[in-house]
């Protein structure tokens, strides 16, 4: 086995990132730049992750779903290869999430996540192994962030798929979670280079990563995973490489939903840009392709609440519940529907635990609306200011700003 490339020196990495850092977060950036930080958390930090980080993550990522048995062998081999090549990246585990967007990364304590949206594009065992290896490089920084969770700050704002995907949760109170969600890169090195080093000794390597990235860059350039691993389709797709190995059997349940899941993710992306008509159209395409899939129905629920159709939203909630489908963020959707139906008091009561468990910009907007409608102007103003200060895009920035103008006029009466 060839020795892996050395990590980028800490000072060099910080200079290249253009960052001035305090001593309080130096250890966190050391991990991001390839420093010697363990993946495993202390018992205290692991318990906190289990009670706070993982529940919030599963809300955002549509829960965990069963890992396909056909993928178990290459997954185990990839994890073993990663641990052998770089002992810092152990112990690791892998979970599949219900998220329709194509993505894979790592949370604190070595929890590698792969979305069903990415698995739908994986065709070979090597591509799966490469995606897992790239995600594993983020594990030390994720654990360091969580160990210093009381000190971490929101990362600088960036445009792109990851920022758009998780923008609802970009709040100071969510800083530790948010940093886990939007982590980019592969431990201070180019992802293809790191994957090649980590998969030495196997039949797989950077060609597998390139192949998967090229497919997504050509067919779904807005997928979050490309941004996470540093591939910019605007600069030209990763060169195609010859096929390596037979297709990975047993993934048909995911691959047949590939385009439908992509349309769901694109609908949400359009919605968060304020392009609600186009978002409806994208989800209609999804529902034609994966008619009974809960991902498309959950996205329809989100669209209806954004468009102030609470009666239909409650109908969709009932259908999802009757189907036995999980409803991520269910308490928030039900609370927001109550507020829109004019039941502000009950809506506010339902929002209280939501804002404690996983505060979001939309939850603050819903709370501000309810408070304003029943005359709690101070509470409404506080909620709308959080929204205005947190994001710089439609639709809620403008709506919250309009409400602040209304409140100012009411105070002058």
């Amino acid at each position: 086995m060839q020795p892996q490339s050395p990590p980028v020196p800490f000072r060099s990495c910080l200079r290249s990132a253009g960052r001035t850092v305090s001593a309080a977060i130096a250890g966190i950036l050391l991990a991001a730049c390839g420093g010697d930080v363990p993946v495993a958390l202390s018992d205290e930090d692991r318990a906190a992750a289990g009670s706070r980080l993982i529940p919030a993550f599963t809300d955002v990522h549509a829960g965990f779903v069963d890992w396909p048995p056909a993928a178990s062998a290459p997954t185990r081999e990839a994890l073993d290869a990663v641990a052998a090549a770089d002992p810092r990246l152990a112990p690791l585990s892998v979970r599949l999430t219900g998220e329709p967007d194509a993505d894979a990364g790592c949370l604190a304590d070595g929890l590698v996540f792969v979305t069903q949206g990415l698995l739908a594009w994986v065709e070979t065992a090597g591509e799966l192994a490469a995606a897992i290896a790239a995600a594993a490089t983020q594990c030390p920084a994720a654990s360091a962030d969580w160990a210093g969770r009381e000190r971490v700050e929101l990362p600088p704002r960036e445009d792109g798929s990851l920022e758009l995907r998780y923008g609802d949760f970009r709040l100071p109170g969510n800083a530790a979670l948010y940093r886990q969600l939007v982590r980019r890169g592969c431990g201070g090195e180019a992802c293809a280079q790191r994957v090649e080093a980590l998969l030495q000794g196997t039949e797989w390597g950077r060609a597998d990563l390139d192949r998967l990235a090229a497919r997504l860059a050509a067919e779904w350039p807005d997928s979050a995973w490309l941004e996470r691993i540093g591939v910019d389709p605007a600069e030209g797709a990763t060169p195609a490489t010859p096929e390596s190995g037979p297709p990975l059997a047993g993934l048909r349940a995911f691959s047949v939903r590939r385009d439908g899941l992509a349309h769901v993710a694109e609908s949400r992306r359009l919605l968060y840009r304020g392009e609600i008509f186009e978002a409806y159209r994208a989800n209609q395409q999804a529902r034609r392709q994966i008619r009974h899939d809960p991902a498309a129905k959950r996205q329809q629920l989100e669209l209806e609440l954004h468009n102030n159709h609470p009666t239909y939203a409650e109908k969709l909630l009932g259908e999802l519940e009757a189907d036995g489908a999980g409803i991520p963020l269910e308490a928030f959707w039900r609370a927001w529907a109550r507020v829109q139906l004019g039941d502000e008091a009950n809506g506010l009561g339902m929002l209280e635990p939501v804002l404690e468990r996983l505060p979001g910009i939309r939850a603050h907007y819903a709370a501000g609306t309810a408070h304003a409608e029943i005359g709690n102007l101070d509470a409404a103003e506080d909620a709308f200011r959080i929204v205005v200060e947190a994001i710089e895009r439609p639709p809620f920035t403008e709506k919250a700003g309009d409400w602040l103008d209304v409140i100012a006029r009411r105070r002058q009466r």
Side-chain angles (χ1 to χ4, degrees):
M1 180 179 295
Q2 296 295 318
Q4 60 177 317
S5 301
V8 177
F10 183 39
R11 294 185 184 276
S12 172
C13 179
L14 294 186
R15 284 197 299 271
S16 67
R19 295 173 178 164
T20 301
V21 301
S22 66
I25 61 172
I28 294 167
L29 291 181
L30 176 61
C33 295
D36 188 18
V37 175
V39 168
L41 293 173
S42 68
D43 289 344
E44 178 185 356
D45 290 336
R46 182 176 297 114
S51 63
R52 293 165 51 191
L53 173 62
I54 303 304
F57 174 78
T58 55
D59 278 350
V60 174
H61 256 249
F64 292 128
V65 296
D66 291 337
W67 189 254
S72 295
T75 298
R76 184 70 263 162
E77 187 173 347
L79 294 180
D80 290 345
V82 166
D86 187 347
R88 292 181 312 144
L89 304 181
L92 301 176
S93 59
V94 178
R95 298 293 301 273
L96 183 66
T97 77
E99 167 59 40
D101 205 348
D103 200 8
C106 191
L107 302 181
D109 210 31
L111 176 56
V112 171
F113 67 87
V114 178
T115 69
Q116 65 168 340
L118 180 62
L119 198 60
W121 291 83
V122 168
E123 294 184 354
T124 68
E127 291 174 5
L128 177 60
I132 289 172
T137 64
Q138 299 182 353
C139 295
S143 289
D145 271 352
W146 186 251
R149 59 192 174 278
E150 304 304 331
R151 301 187 302 275
V152 298
E153 300 174 355
L154 289 172
R157 188 187 305 276
E158 296 188 34
D159 293 327
S161 295
L162 285 173
E163 175 73 25
L164 203 61
R165 168 68 188 86
Y166 300 115
D168 188 35
F169 305 104
R170 187 184 166 83
L171 294 169
N174 290 334
L177 167 67
Y178 191 78
R179 290 178 68 96
Q180 305 276 322
L181 296 174
V182 301
R183 187 174 312 286
R184 296 165 174 81
C186 289
E189 298 176 60
C191 286
Q193 177 182 346
R194 285 289 279 142
V195 166
E196 183 73 10
L198 291 173
L199 294 182
Q200 289 183 57
T202 74
E203 58 187 304
W204 311 314
R206 67 177 296 166
D208 298 284
L209 186 76
D210 286 347
R211 186 180 306 108
L212 179 57
R215 189 178 306 125
L216 279 162
E219 300 185 47
W220 188 7
D222 284 336
S223 57
W225 184 68
L226 292 177
E227 184 176 322
R228 197 180 290 278
I229 65 170
V231 172
D232 185 355
E235 296 179 357
T238 306
T241 55
E243 289 299 321
S244 174
L248 184 57
L251 295 187
R252 180 169 172 75
F254 297 93
S255 63
V256 297
R257 298 158 61 223
R258 173 187 293 181
D259 291 339
L261 291 171
H263 282 305
V264 173
E266 183 60 20
S267 173
R268 185 172 52 203
R269 195 169 287 117
L270 289 163
L271 177 62
Y272 292 0
R273 290 187 184 127
E275 301 174 36
I276 193 164
F277 177 73
E278 294 301 324
Y280 267 102
R281 290 183 59 181
N283 205 53
Q284 284 174 352
Q285 289 180 286
R287 297 189 77 176
R288 282 195 291 268
Q289 293 169 327
I290 49 174
R291 181 176 301 276
H292 301 296
D293 196 296
K297 188 171 285 189
R298 288 193 295 256
Q299 177 59 15
Q300 192 68 33
L301 163 67
E302 191 165 347
L303 285 164
E304 301 305 340
L305 285 169
H306 273 251
N307 207 25
N308 290 297
H309 293 159
T311 301
Y312 188 36
E314 289 200 328
K315 177 177 180 293
L316 288 168
L317 281 164
E319 290 178 4
L320 286 164
E321 186 174 32
D323 293 343
I327 312 176
L329 302 174
E330 178 179 2
F332 168 60
W333 304 130
R334 292 191 182 280
W336 199 7
R338 287 288 94 199
V339 171
Q340 290 183 15
L341 286 165
D343 187 6
E344 289 89 359
N346 279 330
L348 282 171
M350 296 165 70
L351 280 169
E352 285 182 8
V354 170
L355 290 168
E356 289 178 5
R357 175 184 170 101
L358 179 59
I361 292 164
R362 292 176 299 182
H364 282 290
Y365 178 81
T369 303
H371 281 300
E373 292 289 358
I374 61 178
N376 295 337
L377 299 188
D378 289 344
E381 186 173 23
D382 290 343
F384 288 133
R385 290 204 181 281
I386 289 172
V387 176
V388 169
E389 293 170 2
I391 59 175
E392 299 173 354
R393 62 171 183 269
F396 297 108
T397 305
E398 291 91 338
K399 290 181 178 180
D402 291 343
W403 268 111
L404 288 173
D405 291 341
V406 170
I407 291 171
R409 289 195 297 270
R410 287 183 183 177
R411 292 189 188 280
Q412 292 172 359
R413 292 174 184 172

